[in-house]
Amino acid sequence: MAYNIVYKKSVHRDLMKLSKPEAKRILDLIEKNLIKHPESNPVLKGQFAGLRKYRVVDYRVIYALLDLDILILRIGNRKDAYKSEI
């Protein structure tokens, strides 16, 4: 099944907080690995119920599966990624 990756506008701000090599690495891993099996990552609970997370070392990519689209909602350090609203 072929998925399309769609980024929320706020993801650009999240990436600007990271160094360029970290941001590039995360985007490359999203394009390479997440797109293959997005349904295999854990589903979140609580305020983020129904969303999924993808781990990239100390960073988390929070996303939603919408039919054939992967909607990337937030990219951030694991200690901060779940603190604010999406």
Side-chain angles (χ1 to χ4, degrees):
M1 196 179 296
Y3 288 96
N4 299 315
I5 296 180
V6 180
Y7 294 92
K8 188 176 174 186
K9 287 183 181 181
S10 62
V11 171
H12 179 69
R13 283 189 305 251
D14 293 340
L15 292 172
M16 294 300 289
K17 295 176 186 175
L18 306 176
S19 68
K20 285 188 179 184
E22 287 175 329
K24 180 173 175 12
R25 178 177 172 209
I26 291 169
L27 291 174
D28 288 345
L29 288 172
I30 288 171
E31 296 288 335
K32 187 186 298 181
N33 297 332
L34 181 61
I35 202 164
K36 291 180 185 174
H37 300 288
E39 65 281 340
S40 66
N41 292 307
V43 177
L44 297 172
K45 300 175 185 171
Q47 115 185 42
F48 299 109
L51 302 178
R52 295 177 179 265
K53 70 177 179 178
Y54 175 61
R55 287 180 40 194
V56 180
V57 189
D58 283 341
Y59 295 93
R60 298 297 179 267
V61 176
I62 299 174
Y63 66 96
L65 284 177
L66 307 171
D67 295 323
L68 294 178
D69 290 334
I70 302 170
L71 177 60
I72 307 293
L73 301 169
R74 161 91 22 102
I75 296 174
N77 191 295
R78 66 183 180 93
K79 66 180 178 161
D80 300 324
Y82 307 106
K83 288 187 178 177
S84 61
E85 296 281 326
I86 292 183

